[in-house]
Amino acid sequence: MSPTASKSDTPLQVIDNATCTFCGCVCDDIQLHHDEMRIHKAKKACVLGSAWFLNHTAEKKYPSALIDGKEATVDEAIEEAARLLHEADMPLVYGMSNTTCEAQKECAALADSLGGLLDSHTSL
Amino acid sequence: MGGKVTCTLGEVKQRADFIIYWGGNPAECHPRHFSKYTLMQKSKFLPKGRKDRTMVLVDIRETKSVKASDIFLQVRPGKDFELITILRALVKEQQVTDEQIEETGLSREALNDLVSRMKAAKFGCMFFGMGLSMTRGKHMNSAALLTLAAEMNAFTKFVAMPMRGHGNVTGADVIMRWQTGFPFGISFNRGYPRYNPGEFSTIDVLVRGDCDAAFIIGADPGGTMPQPAINHLKRIPTIVLDPHITHTSKLARVHITTAAQGIAAPGTAYRMDEIPMPLKPALKSPYPSDEEVVRRINEAIAKKPFWLPEGSMPQMVTEQV
């Protein structure tokens, strides 16, 4: 069995120089071996990075969205989120650590259009 | 980079022969920092790699990083600011009393040795972690260390860099600076961005109960924040975007599951030295990306009347439209 073969003998796909976003090092030399459902191996990654890559799968583990604890569609949840944020006088947009710069830019636009607050983990 | 004396990790890897880690435990929190950038790498300027470099660790207790260090200085808890101030005085050969040195838990010999090593270095770099920036003195500690780095440049090349955790938190700083001019703690309630940490920073806002809705993305305050802040998140409508059902999701009115960045969602993330890295997602997630969901929320809000009375628009906004 070659090192890139999985237990079911279907060869794994390999991604070279993948980027790990677990810690601030953002290592960009990771080799990922995956079968589109889960990542089986993260070569060069450290203990923390391996755990980060191997613990995420493409399975549908959670409902797409929850409104008041009940399952809902993404469309309904987006409408409800927009309604709640628009109704608020002083909404807070917070976090933005475990997300991409593209999403962060949208968050800045969100806080701007709401006339609200914008803050990240840095302020802790 | 906000006026701080810093550099990229590539320069550290190539040139830094003197490294100080202050209030951090890279061996456990940033495991590849030593091997990839600071200690183990050989370069044109440091051909012998680890042997050409000196590493000093300053911390309040012995962590696993001590093994990797050449010199370990155990500072008394809460005395970082005092120690940095003493170092700044010693660097300039100013008088420091024995009592002042004793307060930090270190000896005059150890500090004189450190100062002479710092001055003898060709390229010094100080990395500071949360042990410095999140303890007594907080941002004043970071500011003092950055000042020490700047002042060391009267003798030799010296830089300082924060050890950022949490994936793309550096990106959040960079994006907010680009979009608003400020790195965090921003309010748009006058229609233009204002910056005031303490007033607009999240914990303060939540503990005082200033906000009446919260939009949480890529964070789990429900698991990390003080109880009064969590209690306020329970009281107000909270919206959470996360790849998992988090503590915050459980107290939220709306939770939307999104694809994990870098694993199933493409985009860009910033390294701690503010170098942007493209992400190479391996998996196809059944969930939408954060970017897509926030953009769709923005579009839904844009269809509603503007937040000023009767949906009237401020003049500067109307002119742009």
Side-chain angles (χ1 to χ4, degrees):
Chain A
M1 195 193 259
S2 77
T4 53
S6 71
K7 279 169 198 154
S8 59
D9 270 351
T10 46
L12 293 178
Q13 296 175 41
V14 178
I15 293 183
D16 280 316
N17 297 330
T19 312
C20 169
T21 53
F22 183 80
C23 80
C25 285
V26 192
C27 297
D28 58 345
D29 59 349
I30 316 289
Q31 195 184 48
L32 297 178
H33 299 247
H34 71 96
D35 62 1
E36 290 187 344
M37 263 328 267
R38 61 172 67 240
I39 296 162
H40 291 267
K41 209 188 293 172
K43 275 193 183 171
K44 292 192 185 172
C46 65
V47 197
L48 304 173
S50 296
W52 163 256
F53 280 118
L54 269 51
N55 283 342
H56 284 85
T57 64
E59 291 164 332
K60 205 162 176 194
K61 266 203 239 168
Y62 304 104
S64 300
L66 296 171
I67 298 175
D68 293 321
K70 293 187 192 76
E71 283 193 34
T73 65
V74 175
D75 291 346
E76 287 163 358
I78 285 173
E79 271 311 313
E80 181 68 0
R83 188 184 68 79
L84 291 169
L85 289 170
H86 185 260
E87 271 179 12
D89 291 324
M90 182 63 96
L92 164 73
V93 177
Y94 169 75
M96 294 185 274
S97 290
N98 287 317
T99 190
T100 59
C101 292
E102 289 75 4
Q104 288 163 349
K105 184 175 174 245
E106 291 295 334
C107 290
L110 176 63
D112 188 4
S113 68
L114 292 167
L117 302 161
L118 180 65
D119 194 27
S120 81
H121 267 135
T122 307
S123 78
L124 280 182
Chain B
M1 293 197 180
K4 71 178 175 241
V5 183
T6 190
C7 68
T8 65
L9 286 171
E11 283 174 90
V12 172
K13 172 183 165 183
Q14 297 293 331
R15 294 171 189 273
D17 60 342
F18 191 77
I19 316 272
I20 301 177
Y21 283 101
W22 199 306
N25 181 11
E28 285 180 286
C29 301
H30 299 87
R32 295 184 75 204
H33 210 255
F34 292 151
S35 56
K36 225 174 150 217
Y37 304 114
T38 54
L39 297 184
M40 310 314 287
Q41 291 283 345
K42 290 175 184 170
S43 74
K44 184 182 169 187
F45 306 102
L46 305 160
K48 284 187 257 159
R50 181 67 184 92
K51 283 180 190 151
D52 280 335
R53 302 183 200 248
T54 309
M55 197 272 255
V56 179
L57 182 73
V58 186
D59 209 340
I60 56 162
R61 61 191 163 88
E62 277 194 44
T63 60
K64 283 197 177 161
S65 302
V66 174
K67 245 190 248 171
S69 69
D70 298 304
I71 302 167
F72 172 55
L73 300 175
Q74 190 164 6
V75 61
R76 198 165 283 162
K79 295 292 174 193
D80 298 277
F81 185 84
E82 285 80 351
L83 180 56
I84 298 166
T85 312
I86 289 170
L87 286 175
R88 285 179 58 199
L90 290 176
V91 161
K92 285 177 264 180
E93 291 172 17
Q94 289 165 349
Q95 283 243 311
V96 181
T97 65
D98 288 337
E99 295 82 61
Q100 285 168 325
I101 290 180
E102 207 182 313
E103 205 188 341
T104 64
L106 296 164
S107 68
R108 190 181 285 271
E109 294 72 51
L111 296 188
N112 280 333
D113 176 57
L114 176 63
V115 167
S116 59
R117 282 172 191 270
M118 283 166 78
K119 286 185 178 176
K122 286 190 193 128
F123 189 121
C125 186
M126 298 194 280
F127 293 96
F128 56 101
M130 301 221 285
L132 183 72
S133 56
M134 297 289 169
T135 52
R136 181 175 170 264
K138 290 207 163 185
H139 62 278
M140 293 305 288
N141 293 344
S142 318
L145 198 78
L146 292 167
T147 313
L148 174 63
E151 287 173 352
M152 276 304 296
N153 282 273
F155 307 93
T156 184
K157 172 77 181 171
F158 234 89
V159 297
M161 194 188 297
M163 295 285 284
R164 307 306 298 274
H166 286 319
N168 197 20
V169 64
T170 316
D173 289 11
V174 173
I175 296 294
M176 279 190 267
R177 259 165 22 203
W178 165 44
Q179 290 289 302
T180 74
F182 305 113
F184 59 89
I186 299 155
S187 170
F188 284 99
N189 70 345
R190 287 189 188 163
Y192 56 88
R194 288 184 299 149
Y195 170 68
N196 196 8
E199 186 181 5
F200 305 138
S201 38
T202 301
I203 289 196
D204 306 272
V205 164
L206 290 175
V207 169
R208 285 194 309 261
D210 280 356
C211 59
D212 57 352
F215 179 82
I216 313 287
I217 175 169
D220 188 12
T224 53
M225 282 204 171
Q227 197 58 43
I230 296 172
N231 290 345
H232 189 65
L233 281 176
K234 282 183 196 163
R235 274 197 295 271
I236 59 175
T238 299
I239 297 130
V240 176
L241 260 59
D242 206 279
H244 306 279
I245 304 278
T246 62
H247 294 281
T248 321
S249 309
K250 285 175 189 156
L251 56 86
R253 289 279 296 279
V254 180
H255 164 92
I256 303 175
T257 312
T258 52
Q261 59 146 348
I263 289 174
T268 313
Y270 272 75
R271 202 165 71 185
M272 60 169 79
D273 55 348
E274 305 192 352
I275 301 294
M277 299 286 185
L279 303 180
K280 284 192 177 177
L283 308 178
K284 278 195 187 69
S285 174
Y287 305 110
S289 69
D290 285 330
E291 184 193 355
E292 184 193 333
V293 174
V294 187
R295 193 175 54 240
R296 286 179 60 192
I297 293 175
N298 278 336
E299 284 163 6
I301 289 171
K303 286 184 196 139
K304 298 175 191 287
F306 194 68
W307 54 273
L308 279 174
E310 286 110 43
S312 61
M313 299 283 269
Q315 197 138 28
M316 56 176 189
V317 176
T318 343
E319 272 171 9
Q320 278 175 3
V321 169

